[in-house]
């Protein structure tokens, strides 16, 4: 289920962890509300903040080391499992007639619908979304929801850290003395603001795509994907409505046979 901790992403993950705890330490060393509460014996918020930071790091490792849905072997009973009839096969346009039997040109394994080969990971991934350099792992069927959970949790920690940093600035009338006093905290605040904006945009875009039941890869490369070429610009054969899309993404666990959804929702459109 989990990848090797000391793989190619070791440097990225180590840098992430070091940066996280360095920023946390700076927030405690400066005259912020956390330090004031710690000095007065009010430990609830300081302890809670440290626990949230720790949990965010654990979520980061869980998402980055988790198997995103690698396809490691052929399924010899693929056609039987899919339950696709000959009549349904004939309904697919010629350009997509061999979708369910398509073999990857790199690993030579059969690719279920919505899967894609990742050049970085060197594996085909089920319901491929994208390869994320931040976690040095693919985002796919098995870890996509955890990736969204991580983004939401990380945004909460970053916004709280930004508020804490803001409370630590010391007033000094002379600007160069102010910069000397608050220089490190200013850098941390700017970094937290930048990271908060990035995570907010990532979270918003992923929630939007999830509500449509589409992936980043499908959204960006729609014109090159065989099973979407025949669809109109606003057509999505996997869209079952916003509520069902969100419910299926967050509440239904296990592998989804997307060929079933494709034929059920898209057979009338082909």
């Amino acid at each position: 289920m989990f990848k090797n901790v000391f793989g190619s992403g070791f440097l990225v993950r180590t840098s992430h962890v070091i940066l996280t705890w360095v920023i946390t330490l700076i927030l405690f060393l400066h005259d912020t509300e956390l330090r004031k509460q710690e000095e007065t014996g009010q430990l609830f918020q300081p302890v809670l903040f440290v626990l949230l930071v720790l949990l965010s790091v654990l979520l980061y490792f869980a998402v980055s080391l988790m198997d995103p849905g690698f396809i490691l072997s052929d399924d010899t009973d693929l056609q039987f499992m899919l339950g696709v009839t000959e009549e349904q096969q004939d309904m697919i346009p010629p350009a997509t007639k061999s979708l369910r039997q398509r073999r990857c040109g790199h690993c030579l394994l059969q690719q279920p619908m919505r899967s894609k080969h990742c050049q970085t990971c060197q594996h085909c991934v089920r319901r491929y979304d994208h390869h994320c350099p931040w976690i040095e792992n693919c985002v796919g069927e098995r870890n996509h929801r955890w990736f969204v959970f991580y983004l939401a949790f990380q945004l909460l920690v970053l916004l709280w850290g930004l508020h804490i940093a803001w409370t630590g600035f010391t007033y000094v009338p002379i600007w160069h003395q102010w910069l000397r006093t608050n220089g490190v905290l200013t850098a941390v605040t700017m970094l937290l603001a930048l990271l908060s904006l990035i995570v907010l945009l990532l979270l918003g875009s992923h929630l939007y795509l999830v509500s449509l039941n589409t992936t980043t890869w499908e959204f960006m490369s729609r014109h090159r994907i065989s099973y979407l070429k025949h669809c109109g610009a606003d057509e999505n054969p996997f869209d079952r409505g916003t509520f069902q899309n969100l419910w299926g993404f967050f509440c239904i666990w296990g592998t989804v046979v997307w060929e079933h959804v494709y034929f059920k929702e898209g057979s009338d459109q082909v």
Side-chain angles (χ1 to χ4, degrees):
M1 181 179 179
F2 291 95
K3 297 165 60 179
N4 185 1
V5 179
F6 299 99
S8 60
F10 176 74
L11 181 61
V12 174
R13 298 182 185 107
T14 302
S15 301
H16 176 88
V17 173
I18 292 175
L19 181 63
T20 298
W21 289 112
V22 166
I23 292 177
T24 302
L25 182 62
I26 291 174
L27 294 178
F28 273 93
L29 290 178
H30 280 74
D31 194 24
T32 62
E33 65 177 17
L34 282 187
R35 181 176 178 179
K36 294 175 182 177
Q37 291 175 357
E38 181 186 8
E39 290 175 346
T40 58
Q42 304 175 36
L43 299 180
F44 176 75
Q45 288 194 36
V47 171
L48 179 60
F49 182 75
V50 171
L51 289 177
L52 291 180
V53 171
L54 177 60
L55 185 55
S56 73
V57 172
L58 293 178
L59 276 174
Y60 171 80
F61 273 99
V63 173
S64 63
L65 299 177
M66 187 179 294
D67 177 356
F70 292 136
I71 302 170
L72 302 178
S73 64
D74 277 332
D75 187 346
T76 55
D77 297 323
L78 183 63
Q79 290 294 327
F80 175 77
M81 178 188 71
L82 298 179
V84 177
T85 65
E86 293 183 3
E87 181 181 356
Q88 288 175 322
Q89 292 181 33
D90 294 335
M91 293 169 62
I92 304 179
T96 62
K97 198 163 189 175
S98 60
L99 281 174
R100 293 159 307 287
Q101 296 180 350
R102 180 182 58 191
R103 285 195 177 274
C104 174
H106 300 276
C107 57
L108 303 180
L109 296 175
Q110 284 185 327
Q111 290 183 324
M113 190 173 284
R114 308 191 81 180
S115 63
K116 182 183 181 297
H117 185 87
C118 175
Q119 297 286 358
T120 304
C121 294
Q122 292 300 310
H123 286 293
C124 288
V125 181
R126 294 181 182 274
R127 196 184 176 275
Y128 176 86
D129 188 86
H130 72 289
H131 182 90
C132 180
W134 184 5
I135 63 174
E136 242 342 279
N137 193 11
C138 280
V139 176
E141 186 175 64
R142 290 189 178 182
N143 68 344
H144 195 173
R145 65 170 57 87
W146 289 109
F147 181 72
V148 174
F149 287 150
Y150 165 70
L151 290 177
F153 198 84
Q154 186 68 68
L155 181 61
L156 174 64
V157 174
L158 286 171
L159 291 177
W160 193 1
L162 188 60
H163 167 73
I164 293 170
W166 187 259
T167 66
F169 285 100
T170 303
Y171 173 75
V172 179
I174 304 176
W175 72 269
H176 61 84
Q177 292 183 356
W178 181 94
L179 189 60
R180 185 183 307 168
T181 304
N182 300 288
V184 175
L185 199 58
T186 300
V188 167
T189 302
M190 294 176 63
L191 180 60
L192 289 174
L194 177 61
L195 292 175
S196 298
L197 179 60
I198 293 173
V199 174
L200 177 62
L201 293 175
L202 280 173
L203 178 61
S205 63
H206 276 276
L207 288 176
Y208 171 72
L209 294 177
V210 166
S211 70
L212 299 177
N213 201 348
T214 190
T215 63
T216 302
W217 172 55
E218 291 171 343
F219 183 79
M220 300 296 294
S221 305
R222 182 185 182 91
H223 61 287
R224 295 192 291 110
I225 300 175
S226 56
Y227 56 84
L228 294 178
K229 281 183 178 180
H230 69 282
C231 298
D234 298 325
E235 293 179 6
N236 178 13
F238 306 109
D239 186 5
R240 293 168 288 183
T242 301
F243 177 78
Q244 278 196 317
N245 292 338
L246 293 172
W247 177 266
F249 181 82
F250 288 108
C251 302
I252 296 179
W253 300 81
T255 299
V256 178
V257 182
W258 292 109
E259 285 81 352
H260 284 168
V261 180
Y262 180 86
F263 281 111
K264 182 178 179 180
E265 300 295 335
S267 58
D268 294 337
Q269 303 172 6
V270 176

